[in-house]
Every structure is written in structure tokens, then in C-alpha cells.
Amino acid sequence: MPSEVSGRIDLGDVTPHNIKLLRKVNTVVFPVSYHDQFYLNLLVSGEKAKLAYYNDIVVGAVCCREDTTQGARKLYIMTLGCLAPYRRLGIGSKMVEHVLNIVQKDGNFTSIFLHVQINNESAIEFYKKFGFSIVETKQQYYKRIEPADAYVLEKFLTPDTKLQNGDSSH
């Protein structure tokens, strides 16, 4: 039975040798394209950019960056995606947990946020399980895709927030 088959999930560094795999995953998973500079910046992102492996096969990736608008230090999830055949196997959760570990180890982020296309109900529900909530709607956020609007999902952090799978600070 497929549900009993367990695979090994690992996260690995993005390097000049595997960055083309990251570009390919993003091309397949996301309805938008990313420029060369996006990928060049990831090569110096350290823990903020990881490839996801399932039994040694690249099947997803997470890419984040710091955002310091309005004096608040936030972690922005630029991309977090997994190839469709490998969804619901815990790979996305492993990537979110990695992001949560980054902010927990650092201790000085006020929140984590991302944009999700308003019709992507499965992604919205996925992030809500980790304590994210919709805080804003950005009209015409996306170019050349419909719907063009995006929700901003954000998880606010406090020094005593328990960053465990599915827990929130409530």
C-alpha cells in the first residue's frame, strides 16, 4: 500500500552544481518564472535556500530571504514547492519546519510571511496548519496569470512562541 511506503526526506544545500535542478523544479511547480538574478542570489543564501530530496531525488525546494521593511525583521518565503507526485508525503512540512528552525535559532525575527495565489486553497490550508493566517490581499500581485491577486499569509512570532509542527502562538 502506498500509505505504508515511507521514503527518506532530506534537505540539501543549493550549489552551482545543482542550481539547474532548482530552476527546473520551480518551472514545473510555480506559474511564474524567476530571473537569473533570483538564482544567483540563492547561491549565497546558506540555510535560507534548500533543495528537498525524496529517496535521493530532487522533488522540491524552499527559498527565503530576510525582509526588514518598517523596522521589523521578517523572513519572507519566496518559494516553497514540491512536485505534484510527491505531495502529501511530508516534504512540504519538512521544508516549513526548516524555515521555523531558522527563525527559532536566530531569535530576532518578528514573523514569517509569503504570498499565495487566492485560488490556491490547498496551499492556504497547508500554511494554516503551521499557524499562518491571511493578513492582507494584494490586488494584481501576479503578472500574466489569473487570478492575479494574492493573499499575504503571515505567522507572527513572539519570544515564547513554541514553533512546533502545527502549533500557533495562541
Side-chain angles (χ1 to χ4, degrees):
M1 302 196 107
S3 61
E4 293 177 15
V5 175
S6 63
R8 195 177 73 253
I9 302 168
D10 298 301
L11 299 181
D13 294 339
V14 175
T15 70
H17 301 289
N18 62 23
I19 197 151
K20 287 181 179 174
L21 290 170
L22 172 61
R23 186 186 289 264
K24 187 67 173 169
V25 166
N26 284 354
T27 301
V28 173
V29 172
F30 300 109
V32 295
S33 59
Y34 295 92
H35 297 288
D36 292 343
Q37 193 60 48
F38 173 88
Y39 294 101
L40 288 172
N41 291 342
L42 293 178
L43 290 173
V44 294
S45 295
E47 290 299 303
K48 294 184 192 86
K50 291 289 182 183
L51 288 171
Y53 295 84
Y54 187 77
N55 292 335
D56 300 321
I57 299 167
V58 174
V59 297
V62 57
C63 304
C64 305
R65 66 172 166 77
E66 271 188 46
D67 183 281
T68 53
T69 54
Q70 302 165 347
R73 190 162 170 254
K74 301 178 179 187
L75 192 65
Y76 176 56
I77 300 175
M78 299 183 290
T79 61
L80 189 152
C82 182
L83 298 174
Y86 296 92
R87 291 182 187 153
R88 301 207 172 284
L89 296 173
I91 299 161
S93 295
K94 179 102 169 185
M95 290 188 282
V96 172
E97 288 163 4
H98 175 74
V99 172
L100 295 174
N101 286 335
I102 290 173
V103 298
Q104 186 177 40
K105 284 178 187 170
D106 181 280
N108 292 310
F109 286 99
T110 58
S111 69
I112 307 166
F113 73 106
L114 65 142
H115 293 87
V116 175
Q117 199 172 11
I118 60 169
N119 66 340
N120 191 343
E121 294 174 17
S122 61
I124 294 163
E125 291 308 309
F126 171 77
Y127 287 107
K128 282 183 174 181
K129 287 191 291 189
F130 288 94
F132 287 80
S133 56
I134 296 170
V135 296
E136 186 181 355
T137 302
K138 295 271 192 180
Q139 305 292 326
Q140 300 299 307
Y141 178 77
Y142 296 106
K143 312 287 186 257
R144 296 182 290 280
I145 62 170
E146 287 296 327
D149 299 346
Y151 289 131
V152 177
L153 277 74
E154 192 160 8
K155 178 181 177 75
F156 294 95
L157 308 170
T158 57
D160 61 343
T161 298
K162 300 289 186 269
L163 294 175
Q164 299 300 316
N165 184 3
D167 287 355
S168 66
S169 59
H170 303 284

